[in-house]
Structure formats: structure tokens, C-alpha cells
Amino acid sequence: MDIHEYQAKEILAKFGVAVPPGALAYSPEQAAYRARELGGNRWIVKAQVHAGGRGKAGGVKLCRSEHEIQDATNEMFGRKLVTHQTGAEGKGIYRVYVEGAVEFTREIYLGLVLDRSSQRVMIVASSEGGMEIEEISAKRPDSIVRSTVEPAVGLQEFQAREIAFSLGIPAALIPQMVRTLQGCYRAFRDLDATMVEINPLVITADNRILALDAKMTFDGNALFRHPQIAELRDKSQEDPRESRAADRGLAYIGLTGNIGCIVNGAGLAMATMDTIKLAGGEPANFLDIGGGATPERVAKAFRLVMSDENVEAILVNIFAGINRCDWVAEGVVQALTANPVDVPVIVRLSGTNVEEGQKILAKSGLPIIRANTLMEAAERAVTAWKNDRKQNTRMRAI
Ligand code: ADP
Ligand code: MG
């Protein structure tokens, strides 16, 4: 789960990371009022959306008066911000963060991520902050410092100092840098984060280390033990299809194709999407309905997939190991009887009790297209989708 910049800053500040003074606003008037409260004469107004790259997309503006703040925020509120991380549809701006403008002499990149190969938290830093990490690794890969943390002892001071030295932090600022690194690590570990990113972390003109941007992502599976983090969830920033799925305990990712997928198991779901593409189609979603594909779950999955208006065919691909094909078939029949769908449905069952499952589908009298292998299922789905499309076009023409 992602959170907003101002929320990440508030959390990191509690762990000892220094941030500039700032305030949140929900309207242009409030933004101007909050700037007055903060004091000073130069402010940065920042659109709060769950995406980076806001600066280049007009979501971060320097303002020199309350008037300019009103103008800048009038421009932001109610519109969608499209950055290279949001996709073409963008993310709605409903809050802005007003921050005192900071003069700085250096920008540093700092990121903490889970490194799967070493199974550790890895600190990634670069003296070339300001650019995105992808750009740094393309243009200045030699500037990147990586260091993994031994979980039994946490981030040790000597290790944090080593990172600071390799970034060329001036000696007088090393203790501040150590505090920042250790604060980020503790926040990451204590709150079950999967990512902490500060870009840029700056050295100010008056020699302080400050986080000018902050991003945190949390492990959704651990949110139950961090209610104070769980409540920071902002559904306005999520794909509505994905929010609905998350609320129902299904792992769903919305895509842009037309063939809806209902699959048990994440690996099989990935393979199903690949095979649809191989057969010349485009998947509308990733959906893993989990191992225990009960009739209720199958019904929920159908409703969820059909709520995407781009879906023009549905491919159900179930491999029953612990599960049983006859149960799944019952689920499909129940779901389609209770909520008939007006698109072709292709079902491929494999594994335990497959014969019984096939019989149930055949006996149901529902227009279900059956397939035995994954490739066959994908090909039939693509053919059925194309035929159905042609028919619909002809009907519209009449
Ligand atoms: P994003 O990464 O989404 O583009 P940032 O918060 O990193 O957004 O802001 C973009 C740039 O704006 C930063 O790299 C920094 O140069 C500048 N900036 C951001 N906040 C401040 C601030 N408080 N004072 C001065 N400059 C800032
Ligand atoms: Mg940034």
C-alpha cells in the first residue's frame, strides 16, 4: 500500500529524519492560509498523489506570494496529474502540501528496498539525487552505493558512516546522515514497509540534511498489525477495480485488454495472461482467486471481472490440486445462473476430479466453451471474443 508524501514525512520525522516545515491543504484558500501560518516568503506547493515524477509534470510549484499559491493550487485541484508513473489516466489531486522552500547545495538519492536475492533490506544511495533512480542507473551507475543490512543487528553506525563516506558527505554532517539512515531503516523495519525512498535528500545552504521528498510503501499482508498505517489508505489514488478486489480479499490487477481472467494461483494467472497474448488477445486483468476456489469466491470473481466494462470474454483457468474441479464447476454454474453474463465464457479445468467437473459444466445447459489445455483455452477465448465482437458490430449496424 502506498501513502502520500506528507504522511511519509510525518512518519519518518518521528524516526529522526529531518524534514522542512510543511502543512496540508484541501483548497486553494486553505493552502494560502497555511503558507501564512508557516511564515517565510517562498513556498513549494506539492500535489499529493501516489506517484513520483510530479515535478516534471507540473505537480510541484515554487510560489513567492499567497496570490501565487492560490493560482498554483487553483490550477492543481480537481485535475488529474499525469506523470511517467501514473499511466495516461493520471491521478486525481485532492490535497496539496505547502512547504517552506529550502535552498540546497547538493541532492542525494536514498532508497531502502527489499533485496530478494540476499533476502535483506538493501540501502541504495547515490550522490546524483534529483534524477529518478532508473535514470541514475542508466547515466551514472558508478555513483550508486549499495549496502545490505544484517537483520539480527540492524543498521549499525559504522555501516551508516561507510555509506555517508562513499557519498562524499562532509565530515561535520556525518552524524546527521547516520541519524537519517538509521531512522529510515527503523521506520522500514518497525512498520513492515517494502520501500522507503527519499529523493532528493539535500544538504541545505545552512548545512543541514533534509528530506525534501519522501515515499513509503507498505506490505499489504502486514497491515493488520499496523492500524495507524492502514488508515492512511487513500482509495482516491487506487484503480477502483483494484480497491473493490482488495476489499473482497482477491488479488487483482486491472489491465487494458478485453479478455477477463479468473485463475487460481498467481503463477498460473501469469501464464494465462502470457498465453492469451500468444494467441493474439490482450488480458483485461490479473486475478488470482486463491487455492480454495469456492462457489462464493468464483461468483465474486465473475462480478469483479464483469465490472470492468472493457471485458468482452472471460477465461476461467483452474488447476485443482487440493481444490476439486467439480466444486469449481459448481461455482461457475452457480455464478452464471445467478448473474448471467453477456460475453463468451471459456472454462479450462485440470487436476483433481476433472471428469466430474466437465460433466457438471456440460449438464448445466449454459453456453460455456470448454477447453482441455491452456493453449486451447486461450485460442478459444480469443476466437470467441473476435466472433462476438463481429456479431455485435453487425447488430449495431442493423
Ligand atoms: P517528485 O519526485 O514527485 O518530482 P519532489 O518532491 O522530489 O517531487 O519535488 C521535485 C523537485 O522539487 C525536487 O527534486 C526538488 O528539487 C524540488 N523541491 C521539492 N521540495 C522542495 C522544497 N521544500 N524546497 C525546495 N525545493 C524543493
Ligand atoms: Mg522526488
Side-chain angles (χ1 to χ4, degrees):
M1 186 191 80
D2 292 330
I3 60 170
H4 287 294
E5 172 200 359
Y6 76 93
Q7 296 166 330
K9 280 180 170 165
E10 201 177 310
I11 291 171
L12 292 174
K14 286 194 190 129
F15 283 86
V17 176
V19 299
L24 188 71
Y26 291 91
S27 69
E29 298 71 35
Q30 200 179 24
Y33 179 80
R34 305 235 61 184
R36 209 178 316 140
E37 274 184 336
L38 285 171
N41 51 20
R42 287 165 79 245
W43 302 271
I44 305 277
V45 175
K46 311 175 86 176
Q48 295 301 291
V49 295
H50 286 182
R54 297 165 302 166
K56 288 191 190 111
V60 177
K61 297 233 167 92
L62 171 68
C63 299
R64 291 183 186 79
S65 66
E66 285 179 31
H67 192 73
E68 279 185 24
I69 290 181
Q70 292 242 10
D71 282 353
T73 45
N74 257 325
E75 171 73 22
M76 285 182 195
F77 274 113
R79 84 174 173 98
K80 297 229 164 182
L81 188 69
V82 179
T83 82
H84 68 277
Q85 289 186 4
T86 60
E89 67 281 4
K91 300 230 168 183
I93 305 174
Y94 304 103
R95 325 172 185 189
V96 299
Y97 192 52
V98 185
E99 209 172 59
V102 173
E103 269 185 65
F104 53 85
T105 53
R106 273 191 62 187
E107 292 182 284
I108 293 153
Y109 174 91
L110 174 62
L112 280 77
V113 286
L114 219 79
D115 176 44
R116 286 173 199 279
S117 56
S118 63
Q119 303 179 4
R120 305 249 151 119
V121 175
M122 181 186 266
I123 298 176
V124 181
S126 160
S127 48
E128 302 290 315
M131 288 189 266
E132 303 293 325
I133 187 67
E134 293 82 3
E135 205 179 338
I136 301 175
S137 70
K139 290 190 182 152
R140 286 287 318 274
D142 49 305
S143 75
I144 299 177
V145 180
R146 292 185 182 82
S147 182
T148 53
V149 183
E150 163 57 51
V153 292
L155 179 63
Q156 295 289 295
E157 269 191 39
F158 81 88
Q159 195 183 357
R161 267 197 302 274
E162 259 171 23
I163 299 170
F165 289 140
S166 26
L167 293 169
I169 304 287
L173 293 179
I174 299 276
Q176 273 189 55
M177 189 62 189
V178 169
R179 193 163 65 237
T180 305
L181 288 164
Q182 288 191 318
C184 288
Y185 176 74
R186 288 195 194 114
F188 187 107
R189 187 196 55 193
D190 292 0
L191 301 173
D192 288 309
T194 53
M195 200 252 317
V196 172
E197 187 185 61
I198 301 181
N199 187 26
L201 178 72
V202 298
I203 299 183
T204 64
D206 58 357
N207 258 337
R208 285 178 303 147
I209 291 192
L210 277 188
L212 291 198
D213 191 8
K215 214 171 173 186
M216 286 185 87
T217 306
F218 297 90
D219 182 351
N221 294 318
L223 282 177
F224 71 93
R225 56 184 185 193
H226 302 292
Q228 76 285 21
I229 302 293
E231 77 179 9
L232 301 179
R233 183 169 169 203
D234 180 357
K235 287 195 188 174
S236 78
Q237 300 295 308
E238 296 174 2
D239 181 326
R241 298 174 297 179
E242 287 172 24
S243 314
R244 270 198 298 274
D247 291 344
R248 286 164 181 73
L250 298 168
Y252 176 98
I253 294 165
L255 302 167
T256 53
N258 318 87
I259 301 183
C261 306
I262 299 178
V263 188
N264 70 328
L268 192 60
M270 299 289 279
T272 306
M273 298 193 306
D274 282 347
T275 319
I276 289 175
K277 280 194 97 101
L278 195 64
E282 286 289 335
N285 63 277
F286 165 94
L287 172 58
D288 169 15
I289 59 170
T294 58
E296 295 74 34
R297 280 183 92 75
V298 175
K300 264 191 213 170
F302 266 105
R303 279 198 296 276
L304 180 68
V305 169
M306 282 308 291
S307 69
D308 176 356
E309 56 191 29
N310 291 329
V311 167
E312 294 173 344
I314 297 182
L315 171 52
V316 181
N317 184 20
I318 303 287
F319 179 81
I322 302 168
N323 213 328
R324 285 171 38 182
C325 287
D326 48 334
W327 291 347
V328 176
E330 287 287 0
V332 172
V333 172
Q334 277 179 28
L336 290 178
T337 312
N339 297 295
V341 298
D342 55 359
V343 300
V345 176
I346 299 84
V347 179
R348 180 248 177 169
L349 299 174
S350 181
T352 313
N353 287 4
V354 62
E355 290 83 10
E356 285 89 330
Q358 297 290 15
K359 268 189 219 145
I360 292 168
L361 293 182
K363 265 204 287 193
S364 72
L366 292 165
I368 295 170
I369 302 169
R370 281 176 285 143
N372 291 319
T373 65
L374 178 49
M375 195 63 224
E376 197 176 272
E379 279 166 356
R380 289 191 178 163
V382 173
T383 311
W385 162 62
K386 282 186 180 157
N387 288 343
D388 198 58
R389 212 170 212 207
K390 258 191 237 149
Q391 242 170 32
N392 284 340
T393 321
R394 264 206 304 278
M395 269 164 60
R396 268 199 297 277
I398 296 163

